Amino acid sequence: MDVLKKVPVREQDPKVRATNFEEVCLGYNEEEAMEEATRCIQCKNPKCVVGCPVSINIPGFIQKVVEGNHEEAAKIIAESSALPAVCGRVCPQESQCEGVCIRGIKGEPVSIGKLERFVADWSRENGFVPAAPETTNGKKVAVIGSGPAGLTCAGDLAKMGYEVTIFEALHEPGGVLTYGIPEFRLPKETVVKTEIDNVRKLGVKIETNVIIGKSVTIDELFEEEGFQAVFIGSGAGLPMFMGIPGENANGVFSANEYLTRSNLMKAFRSDYDTPIAAGNKVAVVGGGNVAMDAARTALRLGATVYVVYRRSEAELPARVEEVHHAKEEGIIFNLLSNPVEILTDEKGWVNGMKCVKMELGEPDASGRRRPVEIEGSEFVLDVDTVIMSLGTSPNPLISNTTKGLDINKRKCIIADDSNGQTSREGVFAGGDAVSGAATVILAMEAGRAGAKGIDEYLSNKN
Ligand SMILES: Cc1cc2nc3c(=O)[nH]c(=O)nc-3n(C[C@H](O)[C@H](O)[C@H](O)COP(=O)(O)OP(=O)(O)OC[C@H]3O[C@@H](n4cnc5c(N)ncnc54)[C@H](O)[C@@H]3O)c2cc1C
């Protein structure tokens, strides 16, 4: 064994996986996990724990894997995280725990994410369920949204003895974990549903098909439903568009809609009654993780797929691993290209996308080099479907229907990072609804802070 290198993880062959929705990464088996776990040198002051936004006792759980005591490893992780099988799959470990691992100075860091995934999968397969609280304190808290922020806040509060109800607008809980991140990166039936069920087993109730701001308002939750505090974890699900001609044509989707149709409404399965206009030649506009997910989904639905991004490969905001996987599967990258018009046929369907070539100029406010149009460089990309993946912002429905709830100019709810307190007494918030589109683990960190804030607030109240 070369201690400087991670034990390699098995993946589906790119040619095979480009035609199915099965998980790309197959994870470690027990033998591989135990071998990888021995690479952890059990630092006295482990930087990985500081690098983890929810401060998992990483050396502690890894040591239990070395000993073959996976149940104890699962208990250690459960102290800090309700979603380990999710985080083991989708966290950007390279910039967090693994990014500061001492092993990474001379060789490759310990594969912390894959070990977390192994422990979580082992728990599911062996029926390990985190312990539920024995008594409740009779205080009612409402959580809005069942994404990672809401689930974490609700789970932490239930463990402290609160009676928690999550209100979710969609018909399935999980937020982006369910409707955004594709099946081939995050399986729904096994991984996501099991971890949501574990939160339910802590005593949390989840009511789906309830849109706060339409079905019931936050004011009514306090005044008529007897809730004593509210946590808003409603995410940032409102897509942005470019504002170019033709963007309203048939065959133009936001990445959110395209992924929701595939993930939540199972458009990729022939036994479901909710098809998608999948497209034969698809352009995905944007270069982030969401763009990679949309592109790889369109590819699996049978299309030739182009990612159209106005800067160069070095500036692609997507994780390197995602870009690598997309290329392996056959996605074509049209870099330094910017759409200026979507062309349509006589029936109003997409019939090509007019683009211009770009070059990089001086750095802008974000520090990245500004793309500048090259005169006379127009070209038409032959596509029948366009997926816009330009970012999202919070939906203003809740802030528009709640008295005294302040938002900033990006429509994000203003809340204290340390405890989630908003401008409205008794109302706390966290996750993408506060930060704008970010990551699962940061949403979980905010959910955890919100639970602590609510506990302090309600403890001091009586
Ligand atoms: C396609 C895609 C891929 C991603 N990939 C990754 C990744 O690989 N790694 C990573 O770390 N992050 C990834 N992210 C980002 C990550 O998923 C989000 O940052 C995270 O889910 C935010 O969690 P949240 O709980 O704040 O919000 P969300 O997950 O958005 O959940 C909010 C929930 O609130 C509900 N809601 C909204 N309004 C209301 C209302 N008025 N009433 C009731 N319910 C409401 C929504 O339906 C939703 O279920 C990805 C995002 C997308 C879109």
Side-chain angles (χ1 to χ4, degrees):
M1 175 189 173
D2 180 353
V3 289
L4 296 183
K5 291 213 154 142
K6 292 178 175 182
V7 172
V9 69
R10 288 162 293 117
E11 287 180 347
Q12 264 201 82
D13 181 82
K15 284 205 186 76
V16 176
R17 72 181 193 237
T19 62
N20 69 43
F21 276 81
E22 309 287 310
E23 206 175 357
V24 168
C25 175
L26 303 175
Y28 285 149
N29 62 26
E30 185 177 31
E31 193 188 331
E32 291 161 341
M34 288 174 77
E35 185 178 332
E36 178 64 16
T38 60
R39 295 185 61 238
C40 173
I41 56 171
Q42 295 289 319
C43 302
K44 278 219 176 76
N45 294 311
K47 293 194 170 166
C48 52
V49 180
V50 183
C52 170
V54 296
S55 311
I56 293 176
N57 175 1
I58 293 168
F61 95 75
I62 291 183
Q63 180 55 34
K64 294 296 166 194
V65 176
V66 172
E67 294 164 15
N69 190 348
H70 309 317
E71 180 164 341
E72 206 46 48
K75 282 186 192 157
I76 292 174
I77 297 177
E79 286 163 13
S80 315
S81 170
L83 305 170
V86 169
C87 291
R89 285 169 167 83
V90 304
C91 263
Q93 289 103 5
E94 67 280 5
S95 58
Q96 295 176 349
C97 53
E98 294 184 21
V100 289
C101 171
I102 293 292
R103 269 260 177 244
I105 295 173
K106 270 203 180 154
E108 291 179 353
V110 175
S111 198
I112 300 168
K114 301 287 184 292
L115 288 174
E116 181 185 23
R117 170 189 164 140
F118 164 75
V119 172
D121 288 356
W122 181 93
S123 304
R124 185 180 65 248
E125 284 153 17
N126 289 278
F128 167 75
V129 179
E134 276 159 21
T135 52
T136 66
N137 62 18
K139 293 180 187 171
K140 280 175 68 177
V141 180
V143 170
I144 303 171
S146 61
L151 288 169
T152 301
C153 182
D156 277 10
L157 285 168
K159 284 192 216 158
M160 295 175 203
Y162 289 91
E163 285 179 24
V164 189
T165 306
I166 298 182
F167 296 102
E168 167 55 50
L170 295 174
H171 62 279
E172 288 280 355
V176 170
L177 308 179
T178 298
Y179 78 74
I181 305 181
E183 186 74 22
F184 55 83
R185 287 210 293 126
L186 188 61
K188 311 300 161 208
E189 283 299 321
T190 46
V191 175
V192 178
K193 282 200 172 151
T194 306
E195 298 210 323
I196 292 172
D197 278 348
N198 285 346
V199 174
R200 278 198 180 99
K201 284 174 188 156
L202 294 172
V204 172
K205 279 190 233 145
I206 305 182
E207 287 194 25
T208 53
N209 296 313
V210 183
I211 305 178
I212 302 296
K214 270 201 195 304
S215 324
V216 59
T217 63
I218 288 186
D219 297 326
E220 287 163 352
L221 288 178
F222 280 115
E223 288 154 20
E224 292 166 25
E225 308 278 339
F227 288 98
Q228 288 152 285
V230 172
F231 177 82
I232 306 171
S234 50
L238 197 65
M240 297 176 193
F241 287 91
M242 292 188 80
I244 57 174
E247 229 173 354
N248 289 331
N250 296 324
V252 180
F253 294 86
S254 69
N256 259 36
E257 180 189 346
Y258 194 82
L259 289 167
T260 302
R261 281 176 184 274
S262 176
N263 290 325
L264 189 66
M265 294 149 84
K266 307 286 179 227
F268 64 90
R269 278 175 52 175
S270 54
D271 54 334
Y272 270 69
D273 202 17
T274 43
I276 193 169
N280 292 318
K281 292 179 189 164
V282 175
V284 176
V285 181
N289 289 317
V290 179
M292 297 307 128
D293 281 344
R296 295 172 71 198
T297 298
L299 183 93
R300 282 161 171 77
L301 289 168
T304 300
V305 185
Y306 305 90
V307 166
V308 179
Y309 178 60
R310 60 196 184 131
R311 290 184 162 98
S312 74
E313 177 151 1
E315 290 82 25
L316 275 171
R319 287 173 73 189
V320 174
E321 185 186 350
E322 298 304 320
V323 176
H324 170 71
H325 277 148
K327 281 188 178 168
E328 270 187 342
E329 289 167 9
I331 307 283
I332 302 157
F333 282 75
N334 266 31
L335 301 168
L336 290 164
S337 302
N338 201 30
V340 288
E341 183 179 354
I342 294 167
L343 308 172
T344 51
D345 64 15
E346 63 288 350
K347 288 189 176 148
W349 285 87
V350 174
N351 187 22
M353 185 168 75
K354 200 188 277 182
C355 303
V356 286
K357 280 282 175 199
M358 312 293 279
E359 60 189 354
L360 294 180
E362 293 302 308
D364 62 15
S366 73
R368 294 179 303 172
R369 292 176 64 194
R370 189 190 301 274
V372 184
E373 183 178 331
I374 303 176
E375 246 179 78
S377 63
E378 259 182 29
F379 68 99
V380 174
L381 194 61
D382 177 19
V383 290
D384 54 30
T385 303
V386 176
I387 303 173
M388 291 292 177
S389 181
L390 306 159
T392 53
S393 63
N395 189 317
L397 177 65
I398 290 181
S399 50
N400 284 346
T401 54
T402 310
K403 284 181 224 138
L405 188 65
D406 290 348
I407 55 171
N408 64 21
K409 58 177 191 274
R410 295 187 301 135
K411 310 255 186 299
C412 296
I413 296 169
I414 298 172
D416 186 325
D417 281 349
S418 68
N419 60 11
Q421 176 65 60
T422 68
S423 54
R424 165 87 186 259
E425 195 196 324
V427 178
F428 297 74
D432 283 6
V434 169
S435 59
T439 63
V440 170
I441 195 79
L442 290 176
M444 289 171 65
E445 180 185 28
R448 167 154 282 205
K452 199 171 128 264
I454 288 174
D455 182 47
E456 277 162 13
Y457 168 70
L458 291 179
S459 305
N460 291 336
K461 229 180 155 208
N462 299 318

